[in-house]
Amino acid sequence: MSVATKKKYVTRDTLFKDIDLSGGKLIAQVIGGEGNNLHSALCPQLDSEQILVSMPTRFRKTIWIKRGSFVIIEPIDEGTKVRGEIERVLLPQHVEFLKRQNQWPSEFTHNAAGDGLINGVIDSKSQYVDMSLLPPNHSSDEDIEVDCSNLPVGGNLNRPQYNSATNESETDSSDNE
């Protein structure tokens, strides 16, 4: 089977296959990538909250996982470091389906604004900035005057500057001959 065919089947299974949480499978939230297809995940159903999960080879270079996304994992009993394997990556429509079916864990209640909260704790790697730290916005109705007197004249300063006055006088004298 070619690589393109494998990717097609993996993509189709991710998008359209029914979600099955039987057999001890758990829902976890990815906190970050650890390298070598390992991800740290938050899984409150296991005894330790933060665990290391591995991505199987069928998902590699086909499906990418962002920080904060949800996955279905199957716990691994024999490992000490890696505690689970990713069985499925959950898309937003899968999360909504699980919430409607009342299969969504109560530990993963998030603010709808997506403010980086993980179980009520602010994620240190969150990409959102507190609005009180930003300077005040100027409304578009106000005219903001900018002093342009000290700006350089003559276009892009990263380009070589040619003396246009000498070039014009040379072309004028050649035209007169």
Side-chain angles (χ1 to χ4, degrees):
M1 189 180 301
S2 71
V3 174
T5 306
K6 288 179 186 177
K7 285 184 181 184
K8 179 177 75 172
Y9 285 118
V10 168
T11 305
R12 186 182 63 192
D13 287 346
T14 301
L15 293 176
F16 302 114
K17 189 177 175 185
D18 290 336
I19 299 171
D20 182 26
L21 291 177
S22 64
K25 296 178 184 174
L26 305 171
I27 296 175
Q29 183 179 22
V30 175
I31 296 174
E34 301 295 328
N36 292 334
N37 297 304
L38 294 175
H39 298 276
S40 59
L42 184 69
C43 186
Q45 293 94 350
L46 293 177
D47 54 355
S48 64
E49 294 236 348
Q50 187 171 345
I51 61 171
L52 208 58
V53 295
S54 67
M55 179 182 284
T57 56
R58 70 176 182 266
F59 288 149
R60 295 176 190 169
K61 297 184 181 178
T62 304
I63 295 178
W64 284 265
I65 300 175
K66 288 180 13 179
R67 184 183 319 125
S69 61
F70 294 98
V71 293
I72 295 178
I73 62 167
E74 183 153 350
I76 299 174
D77 296 329
E78 61 267 2
T80 58
K81 285 189 175 185
V82 179
R83 301 283 311 273
E85 184 176 48
I86 296 173
E87 290 290 319
R88 183 173 184 151
V89 179
L90 295 176
L91 301 175
Q93 58 263 29
H94 297 140
V95 172
E96 292 299 321
F97 174 76
L98 288 171
K99 285 180 181 178
R100 284 193 307 259
Q101 298 295 323
N102 292 327
Q103 294 181 343
W104 190 252
S106 61
E107 293 89 359
F108 292 128
T109 54
H110 283 287
N111 189 347
D115 57 359
L117 293 177
I118 299 176
N119 289 344
V121 177
I122 296 177
D123 183 13
S124 62
K125 297 179 182 177
S126 178
Q127 62 184 358
Y128 300 103
V129 177
D130 186 15
M131 294 303 288
S132 64
L133 299 176
L134 296 176
N137 287 338
H138 296 287
S139 67
S140 60
D141 297 336
E142 297 177 7
D143 291 330
I144 300 173
E145 294 184 25
V146 177
D147 183 23
C148 297
S149 62
N150 60 353
L151 294 177
V153 180
N156 189 353
L157 295 179
N158 293 326
R159 302 279 182 187
Q161 301 295 318
Y162 298 107
N163 190 357
S164 60
T166 58
N167 290 340
E168 290 177 9
S169 63
E170 290 175 6
T171 55
D172 290 339
S173 62
S174 63
D175 291 336
N176 292 340
E177 293 177 6

